[in-house]
Amino acid sequence: PKQLHCYQSVYCPYVNVDKLYGKMPTSRNDAIAWFKNGGKIKGTDIKKTFVTDIIKGEVGDIVFMGESGDMQGHAVLLESINIISDTKIEINTYGVYSPNGLIGSEKMIFEKNSNNEWINTSHGGNYVFRGYGQFSKNN
């Protein structure tokens, strides 16, 4: 249920994408694959991409995180990025947060480990940054 709330808060802003972008998958892994597939959205000059560089996030991106050791995880919307150092980044996000299930903002600290993975240390080191789902205009 907690993960379902996160997905609902992320995908609600994109509720009308069927008309513009085609159907966006609602499961985390399917959504990652959809963004990774890339390409222009049908009948538009909008493209979708999956960006794995944590510094290249843009406001409104879907931030995908996975728990260490399994395929579960969360998706939230990016509000802002603050680069603290080469190995530490603060990300502000919008999502649904437990225990009340309300939409809100949260600050997350990611630190780079020895495997060059960005780990969310503000949540006990359980979430690995997977990437951003981005929509952008083709130039």
Side-chain angles (χ1 to χ4, degrees), residues 61-131:
D61 285 354
I62 300 171
V63 183
F64 293 103
M65 294 175 280
E67 293 181 37
S68 301
D70 65 29
M71 294 301 292
Q72 298 299 311
H74 293 277
V76 292
L77 293 177
L78 181 63
E79 178 187 355
S80 66
I81 298 174
N82 178 25
I83 300 169
I84 299 168
S85 72
D86 289 343
T87 59
K88 190 172 185 178
I89 291 178
E90 176 186 279
I91 293 179
N92 291 304
T93 64
Y94 287 115
V96 173
Y97 302 103
S98 300
N100 58 18
L102 298 176
I103 292 176
S105 183
E106 183 173 14
K107 185 180 299 185
M108 299 182 186
I109 303 295
F110 283 85
E111 295 186 51
K112 191 183 278 189
N113 68 14
S114 59
N115 294 327
N116 287 322
E117 297 173 310
W118 289 94
I119 308 298
N120 185 333
T121 57
S122 55
H123 282 80
N126 290 332
Y127 293 98
V128 179
F129 172 80
R130 299 291 185 217

Side-chain angles (χ1 to χ4, degrees), residues 7 9 14 23 25 28 37-40 44 47 56 58 74 76 81 89 91 96 119-120 124-125 131 133 138:
Y7 300 148
S9 73
Y14 299 107
K23 185 165 178 63
R28 179 180 164 273
N37 189 38
K40 270 183 141 179
T44 73
K47 65 179 182 175
K56 294 186 177 177
E58 299 174 355
H74 293 277
V76 292
I81 298 174
I89 291 178
I91 293 179
V96 173
I119 308 298
N120 185 333
N138 284 324

